[in-house]
């Protein structure tokens, strides 16, 4: 069986609550955030109201603040999340910048058997994202990881996966990991995973966390361990093209590492040009954390 596809409304909320109770599973919503004070409060408060206070689907909402310099921590806390600064979680293990680092560190401060990840910069979305992502995990024991996909308003043309997805991730998948080719949005920030499974995976500290988790799950458990769920509509903040270079570098590094190609090790120097021969260099971290289970 290949990667299965479903829609968020294939499961009723009542049915998922029954399944959660029967299985005795706890659910953690994890929101990695960096300088997202404008949007993180709504993400937290809406999920808390709809899925914690109204029904008992989500057991905890945890925001991992990744070196924010704005009011992300205070806003998220006021909205009802438990907030941790990534650098302060397990200081004995050190700290690195990046989204993947925040997600890896979340395993040390959450208790859910099922972990749902959501980006903090969402604008056009709804709380059905969470039960939609939980559906396959609560009803299909063979599924380890669930990816969300969605329509993105304001994106022209049929290729709506995002610039890094279309220009980097999808070509890499076509060439190196074709069994993942049926995934609509492999880099989607909205996904869910069994805690025990994620704790056994190596995790890139940066933006390659999503692709790495997919490839490692595919290789260890086969395509039937992955599901994708249509979530409707999602919109978020867009980054400048030049800022996407670091993200692309990290994704390529993770893909090459999983293909046996010697890479840059813990970092790469990305050189870009503003005007003519005027270079701008940035050091892009490409290191990976070992499976968290060794430290839990």
């Amino acid at each position: 069986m290949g990667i299965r596809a479903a829609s968020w409304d294939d499961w009723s909320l009542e049915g998922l609550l029954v399944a959660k109770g029967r299985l005795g599973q706890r659910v953690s919503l994890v929101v990695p955030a960096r300088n997202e004070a404008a949007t993180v409060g709504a993400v937290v408060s809406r999920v808390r109201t709809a899925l914690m206070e109204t029904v008992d689907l989500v057991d905890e909402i945890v925001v991992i603040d990744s070196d924010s310099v704005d009011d992300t921590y205070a806003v998220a806390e006021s909205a009802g999340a438990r907030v941790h600064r990534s650098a302060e979680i397990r200081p004995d293990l050190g700290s690195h910048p990046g989204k993947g680092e925040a997600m890896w560190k979340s395993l040390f401060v959450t208790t859910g058997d099922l972990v749902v990840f959501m980006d903090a910069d969402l604008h056009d979305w709804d709380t059905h994202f969470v039960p939609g992502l939980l559906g396959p995990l609560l009803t299909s024991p063979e599924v380890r990881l669930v990816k969300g996909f969605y329509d993105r308003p304001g994106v022209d043309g049929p290729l709506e996966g995002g610039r890094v997805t279309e220009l980097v991730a999808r070509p890499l998948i076509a060439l190196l990991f074709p069994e993942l080719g049926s995934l609509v949005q492999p880099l989607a920030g909205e996904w869910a995973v069994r805690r025990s499974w994620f704790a056994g995976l190596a995790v890139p500290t940066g933006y390659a966390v999503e692709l790495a988790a997919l490839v490692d799950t595919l290789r260890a458990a086969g395509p039937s361990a992955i599901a994708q769920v249509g979530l409707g509509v999602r919109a978020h903040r867009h980054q400048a093209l030049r800022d996407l270079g670091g993200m692309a570098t990290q994704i390529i590094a993770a893909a090459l590492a999983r293909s046996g190609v010697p890479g840059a090790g813990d970092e790469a120097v990305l050189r870009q040009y503003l005007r003519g021969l005027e270079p701008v260099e940035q050091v892009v971290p490409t290191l990976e954390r070992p499976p968290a289970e060794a430290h839990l």
Side-chain angles (χ1 to χ4, degrees):
M1 180 185 295
I3 295 172
R4 67 189 69 191
S7 172
W8 68 270
D9 54 2
D10 287 346
W11 303 273
S12 69
L13 183 56
E14 294 75 13
L16 293 179
L17 290 167
V18 169
K20 180 187 178 225
R22 183 179 68 252
L23 296 169
Q25 301 278 274
R26 285 179 57 83
V27 173
S28 300
L29 174 67
V30 172
V31 183
R34 184 175 186 274
N35 296 332
E36 302 293 354
T39 51
V40 69
V43 171
V44 171
S45 61
R46 289 176 62 184
V47 173
R48 183 174 184 84
T49 298
L51 301 175
M52 288 185 71
E53 296 172 352
T54 304
V55 298
D56 189 23
L57 185 67
V58 174
D59 296 287
E60 61 181 357
I61 301 176
V62 178
V63 171
I64 308 297
D65 184 1
S66 184
D67 304 315
S68 294
V69 295
D70 66 359
D71 292 330
T72 292
Y73 188 107
V75 170
E77 189 174 53
S78 296
R82 193 167 76 251
V83 187
H84 296 270
R85 291 185 174 88
S86 180
E88 296 175 358
I89 300 172
R90 290 295 301 267
D92 57 304
L93 299 176
S95 180
H96 302 283
K99 180 182 182 181
E101 172 82 354
M103 295 163 75
W104 186 78
K105 285 286 190 75
S106 75
L107 292 172
F108 300 101
V109 293
T110 54
T111 60
D113 304 286
L114 308 178
V115 181
V116 179
F117 294 111
M118 286 181 60
D119 285 345
D121 61 347
L122 301 182
H123 293 285
D124 191 353
W125 65 285
D126 209 340
T127 56
H128 69 259
F129 281 21
V130 177
L133 291 168
L134 289 171
L137 295 175
L138 287 171
T139 59
S140 300
E142 68 275 16
V143 173
R144 271 79 158 186
L145 186 155
V146 182
K147 292 295 295 187
F149 67 93
Y150 25 69
D151 293 325
R152 302 177 65 207
V155 178
D156 295 329
L159 300 179
E160 297 183 345
R163 291 165 291 174
V164 177
T165 294
E166 301 303 339
L167 298 176
V168 181
R170 219 178 292 287
L172 284 172
I173 286 171
L175 294 169
L176 303 176
F177 319 110
E179 286 184 281
L180 296 175
S182 62
L183 289 169
V184 179
Q185 284 159 337
L187 302 185
E190 284 62 55
W191 57 291
V193 66
R194 298 189 189 279
R195 175 189 180 85
S196 59
W197 186 258
F198 189 51
L201 301 180
V203 178
T205 58
Y207 286 109
V209 54
E210 279 91 7
L211 182 64
L214 286 169
V215 173
D216 292 347
T217 298
L218 174 70
R219 289 181 167 173
S224 63
I226 301 171
Q228 61 178 337
V229 175
L231 300 176
V233 176
R234 173 200 194 274
H236 69 138
R237 174 177 51 83
H238 293 279
Q239 299 185 55
L241 182 60
R242 186 167 63 89
D243 294 336
L244 299 179
M247 181 187 300
T249 301
Q250 291 175 334
I251 290 168
I252 293 170
L256 292 179
R258 283 157 177 78
S259 301
V261 178
D266 288 349
E267 63 183 33
V269 177
L270 177 64
R271 179 174 294 173
Q272 298 167 304
Y273 293 85
L274 293 178
R275 292 178 297 274
L277 297 177
E278 180 181 346
V280 176
E281 292 186 347
Q282 62 170 307
V283 177
V284 180
T286 55
L287 73 158
E288 299 195 14
R289 286 290 199 173
E293 62 185 5
H295 303 288
L296 292 172

